[in-house]
Amino acid sequence: SEQYGDVGVFLRFSDFEYYKSSLKEKEITTVGVNYWPVANVVLKADYQNTKGDDSSINLGFGYQF
């Protein structure tokens, strides 16, 4: 059963190749947190580190209807 006021954490690692004039490789590590304050609503925040590039912080809001 779902409980509201819950917190969840996640970790995602991506490693991919693509072509842009030549073969490129990219590794991205993301760690984040989800918070469900009420039914069908989630607040999300994550920190994303791209190897060799800048890092970023992302904030999100989700609603299920």
Side-chain angles (χ1 to χ4, degrees):
S1 76
E2 295 180 7
Q3 294 183 8
Y4 303 102
D6 279 352
V7 174
V9 295
F10 65 92
L11 174 67
R12 177 175 45 237
F13 177 75
S14 304
D15 184 11
F16 57 94
E17 298 176 341
Y18 62 98
Y19 286 90
K20 186 176 181 181
S21 307
S22 63
L23 178 64
K24 307 286 185 184
E25 295 183 30
K26 193 164 278 210
E27 292 180 6
I28 302 171
T29 303
T30 306
V31 61
V33 63
N34 299 323
Y35 174 66
W36 293 270
V38 296
N40 301 322
V41 174
V42 63
L43 304 174
K44 304 174 79 70
D46 68 55
Y47 170 76
Q48 192 171 62
N49 183 349
T50 304
K51 187 175 181 181
D53 288 335
D54 293 332
S55 300
S56 64
I57 294 175
N58 304 294
L59 302 174
F61 168 83
Y63 177 72
Q64 178 179 322
F65 54 92

